[in-house]
């Protein structure tokens, strides 16, 4: 695992966007998993600008959404669906059949999980996975204490996730479960980038990168990955410098 420290959120976003564009240039049929949330939002805009500027062909990319809040309507602006439609699908000019998101209303969420696992397997695994880190160290909805060796699964959200998650919603929203790719997907991805920025993440980033590798701190799993890069801005990196 490598650590890259960038000056600020803008530079971090440019760096990560450059890795996505570079990946697609090198391998047009890449399978890319991306997190939603505040951290990658600017990166997604930069990717859109670069697609237009450099005329990069994203027409063979498969884009996998990392996670979703179970039971939250795709039209709700706090949903991951909403993020991917507005920040990725349209701006990157992808076709509907190129983007694969968990159905928050799947009749049987476990079947939905197996469908996602199968899709990733059939495409030959994830070429690039871009993730963030939650305030409790989660990646996607892999909450503290969940095994590292899970593929897609349904997770009960912990207290921190339920309260921090309110920032995405206009009104107070009951958040109880999430559906997410597992950390086994991350361990098997050919390349992983974890992005973190801002002073609020300073403690969790330090614990993930310098504390024990443990299922109690899901993001510490990155230290078991041979081709992982943690991209931090200076604020988030203050305690790992
Ligand atoms: C959210 C999502 C994650 C995201 C993380 C950090 O709850 N489940 O996929 O990466 O927490 O989010 P943010 O970038 O908004 O801080």
């Amino acid at each position: 695992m490598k650590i890259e420290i960038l000056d600020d959120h803008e530079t971090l976003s440019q760096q990560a966007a450059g890795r996505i564009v570079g990946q697609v240039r090198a391998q047009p049929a890449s399978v890319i998993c991306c997190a939603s949330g505040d951290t990658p939002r600017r990166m997604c805009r930069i990717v859109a600008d670069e697609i237009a500027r450099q005329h990069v062909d994203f027409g063979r990319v498969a884009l996998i959404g990392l996670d979703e809040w179970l039971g939250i309507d795709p039209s709700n602006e706090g949903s991951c669906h909403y993020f991917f439609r507005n920040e990725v699908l349209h701006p990157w000019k992808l076709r509907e059949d190129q983007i694969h998101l968990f159905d928050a209303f799947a009749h049987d969420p476990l079947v939905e999980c197996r469908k996602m696992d199968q899709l990733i397997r059939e495409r030959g695994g994830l070429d690039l996975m871009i993730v963030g880190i939650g305030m409790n160290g989660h990646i996607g909805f892999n909450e503290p204490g969940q095994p590292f060796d899970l593929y897609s699964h349904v997770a009960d959200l912990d207290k921190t996730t339920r309260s921090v998650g309110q920032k995405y919603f206009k009104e107070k929203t009951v958040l109880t479960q999430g559906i997410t790719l597992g950390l086994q997907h991350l361990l098997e991805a050919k390349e992983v980038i974890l992005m973190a920025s801002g002073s609020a993440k300073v403690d969790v980033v330090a614990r993930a990168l310098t504390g024990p590798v443990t299922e109690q701190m899901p993001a510490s799993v990155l230290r078991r990955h041979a081709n992982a890069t943690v991209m931090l801005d200076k604020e988030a990196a203050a305690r790992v410098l």
Side-chain angles (χ1 to χ4, degrees), residues 14 16 21 23 27 82 103 111 115 119 148 167 180 186 188 191 195 204 225 227:
Q14 284 169 6
V21 173
Q23 170 68 34
Q27 192 184 330
Y82 191 93
D103 178 359
V111 172
K115 262 168 51 185
L119 176 98
F148 283 165
K167 69 174 175 165
T180 183
L186 180 144
E188 292 176 12
E191 182 177 0
M195 303 169 72
V204 74
H225 197 291
N227 192 17

Side-chain angles (χ1 to χ4, degrees), residues 18-198:
R19 295 282 273 273
I20 293 181
V21 173
Q23 170 68 34
V24 176
R25 272 194 177 289
Q27 192 184 330
S30 291
V31 182
I32 300 175
C33 169
C34 190
S36 51
D38 293 336
T39 311
R41 193 180 299 276
R42 176 70 187 134
M43 173 196 80
C44 292
R45 297 275 165 92
I46 297 171
V47 170
D49 292 346
E50 289 304 306
I51 290 172
R53 199 174 66 83
Q54 300 185 38
H55 306 290
V56 193
D57 181 7
F58 269 54
R60 293 172 63 202
V61 166
L63 197 289
I64 314 267
L66 175 64
D67 55 11
E68 184 56 283
W69 309 98
L70 267 190
I72 300 296
D73 197 274
S75 65
N76 185 319
E77 70 176 57
S79 72
C80 301
H81 259 81
Y82 191 93
F83 178 96
F84 285 112
R85 297 198 80 78
N86 288 284
E87 307 294 347
V88 178
L89 176 71
H90 301 308
W92 296 13
K93 299 188 170 56
L94 303 182
R95 300 179 311 275
E96 295 275 349
D97 65 306
Q98 286 181 269
I99 191 157
H100 307 278
L101 307 175
F102 286 114
D103 178 359
F105 290 99
H107 174 64
D108 185 343
L110 296 182
V111 172
E112 184 71 6
C113 289
R114 297 294 77 80
K115 262 168 51 185
M116 185 63 92
D117 293 347
Q118 194 183 341
L119 176 98
I120 293 171
R121 219 173 18 247
E122 282 171 2
R123 302 274 174 138
L126 300 171
D127 295 302
L128 178 62
M129 190 167 182
I130 313 260
V131 299
I133 180 171
M135 294 298 289
N136 59 0
H138 75 198
I139 289 182
F141 287 128
N142 291 273
E143 298 285 42
Q146 290 179 355
F148 283 165
D149 64 357
L150 294 183
Y151 289 104
S152 300
H153 59 280
V154 171
D156 292 332
L157 302 177
D158 89 359
K159 215 172 135 205
T160 307
T161 303
R162 284 186 267 133
S163 64
V164 175
Q166 299 300 323
K167 69 174 175 165
Y168 305 117
F169 296 89
K170 275 208 179 115
E171 292 166 1
K172 188 164 168 28
T173 304
V174 179
L175 303 169
T176 49
Q177 288 189 307
I179 182 166
T180 183
L181 261 62
L183 296 178
Q184 188 63 34
H185 283 120
L186 180 144
L187 287 167
E188 292 176 12
K190 294 179 190 78
E191 182 177 0
V192 181
I193 295 173
L194 181 143
M195 303 169 72
S197 75

